[in-house]
């Protein structure tokens, strides 16, 4: 039976964190909660800092931070799991609640890490603040000149009552039009001076085209 007491969930969160990030596991006693709705980039926006010249226009080379706070619907409905798809131009490091969850540096090599999204299944902190943080770096490209930059995210948050909610990158995400500051990934990092991210267009918009999500990687979190 799922829906653990919150305190128990908080204790098991720490121990289940590593194995959950290393999904998939196939042990016979492990029950995976399936995401109930398809994970798509449908309403997700490519976002950046506003430094770009128009939607998908050129942006300075360098790293920019992005933060998204996940709010609890009520003190009785607690967020327990996040399934997330991320793609970036050119590369990113993903953090949730200060933990380094994963990265994709392929964009520096191939220039095309935005063609396929990376999928993550991440336990959330049911009782505290949950913050997604991305350090996204716009690479120099072959000619070392400013070039398009963006990041696109879609996710499904699962709550303790097994309800699910879609989360997408849009102007509710916070960013800074300057180098990603040290410590930016910590949930309690002071971001009151951060600005709303600029929307560059939906999945499919030039110059990125359609970004693929492989459904078999969308598996939800371990039933801890
Ligand atoms: C952001 O990523 C770049 C490129 O990998 C790295 O040089 C920089 O140190 C990172 N910044 C933070 C605050 O993590
Ligand atoms: Ca770029």
């Amino acid at each position: 039976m799922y829906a653990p007491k919150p305190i128990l969930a908080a204790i098991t969160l720490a121990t289940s964190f590593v194995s959950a990030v290393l999904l998939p596991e196939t042990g016979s006693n492990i029950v995976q909660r399936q995401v109930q709705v398809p994970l798509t980039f449908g309403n997700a926006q490519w976002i950046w800092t506003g430094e770009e010249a128009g939607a998908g226009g050129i942006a300075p080379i360098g790293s920019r931070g992005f933060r998204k706070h996940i709010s609890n619907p009520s003190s009785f409905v607690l967020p327990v799991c996040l399934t997330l798809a991320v793609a970036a131009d050119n590369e990113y490091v993903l953090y949730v609640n200060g933990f380094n969850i994963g990265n994709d540096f392929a964009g520096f090599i191939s220039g095309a890490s935005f063609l396929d999204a990376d999928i993550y299944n991440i336990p959330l902190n049911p009782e505290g603040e949950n913050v997604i943080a991305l350090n996204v770096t716009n690479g120099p490209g072959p000619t070392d000149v400013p070039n398009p930059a963006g990041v696109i995210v879609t996710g499904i948050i699962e709550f303790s009552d097994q309800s699910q909610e879609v989360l997408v990158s849009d102007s509710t995400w916070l960013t800074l039009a300057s180098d990603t500051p040290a410590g930016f990934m910590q949930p309690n990092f002071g971001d009151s001076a951060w600005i709303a991210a600029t929307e560059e267009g939906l999945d499919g918009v030039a110059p990125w085209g359609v970004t693929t999500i492989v459904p078999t990687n969308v598996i939800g979190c371990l039933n801890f």
Side-chain angles (χ1 to χ4, degrees):
M1 185 52 196
Y2 155 72
K5 293 266 190 308
I7 290 170
L8 182 61
I11 294 165
T12 52
L13 182 68
T15 52
S16 62
F17 194 89
V18 172
S19 61
V21 172
L22 296 176
L23 286 176
E25 291 197 29
T26 53
S28 56
N29 294 329
I30 293 172
V31 179
Q32 285 168 348
R33 292 194 297 265
Q34 302 290 321
V35 295
Q36 293 158 4
V37 293
L39 189 65
T40 75
F41 281 122
N43 293 318
Q45 290 276 343
W46 281 93
I47 55 172
W48 201 246
T49 59
E51 295 168 281
E52 64 277 21
I58 60 168
I61 295 164
S63 298
R64 299 291 181 262
F66 294 84
R67 286 170 58 86
K68 173 67 181 175
H69 294 258
I70 298 174
S71 53
N72 290 12
S74 79
S75 49
F76 301 105
V77 181
L78 308 173
V80 290
C81 174
L82 173 65
T83 298
L84 207 61
V86 184
D89 177 352
N90 291 84
E91 65 172 33
Y92 70 85
V93 182
L94 168 68
Y95 302 87
V96 174
N97 298 334
F99 290 96
N100 186 326
I101 302 296
N103 61 64
D104 189 344
F105 295 114
F108 266 19
I109 301 157
S110 68
S113 64
F114 49 81
L115 294 179
D116 297 292
D118 307 305
I119 311 296
Y120 302 96
N121 299 283
I122 310 155
L124 293 177
N125 179 2
E127 295 186 275
E129 178 101 9
N130 286 280
V131 177
I132 303 168
L134 283 158
N135 179 24
V136 187
T137 302
N138 190 27
T143 50
D144 202 17
V145 294
N147 59 75
V151 60
I152 190 166
V153 180
T154 186
I156 297 167
I157 306 165
E158 187 184 356
F159 296 93
S160 53
D161 64 351
Q162 302 198 24
S163 63
Q164 300 190 350
E165 194 177 287
V166 173
L167 164 147
V168 295
S169 47
D170 58 17
S171 59
T172 66
W173 289 56
L174 299 174
T175 189
L176 268 188
S178 54
D179 288 349
T180 309
F184 85 105
M185 73 290 279
Q186 298 306 332
N188 59 1
F189 181 86
D191 59 12
S192 56
W194 286 40
I195 58 173
T198 298
E199 299 180 351
E200 300 187 282
L202 296 168
D203 179 39
V205 75
W208 301 292
V210 174
T211 301
T212 305
I213 292 176
V214 180
T216 50
N217 295 336
V218 181
I219 48 186
C221 290
L222 289 175
N223 196 359
F224 55 85

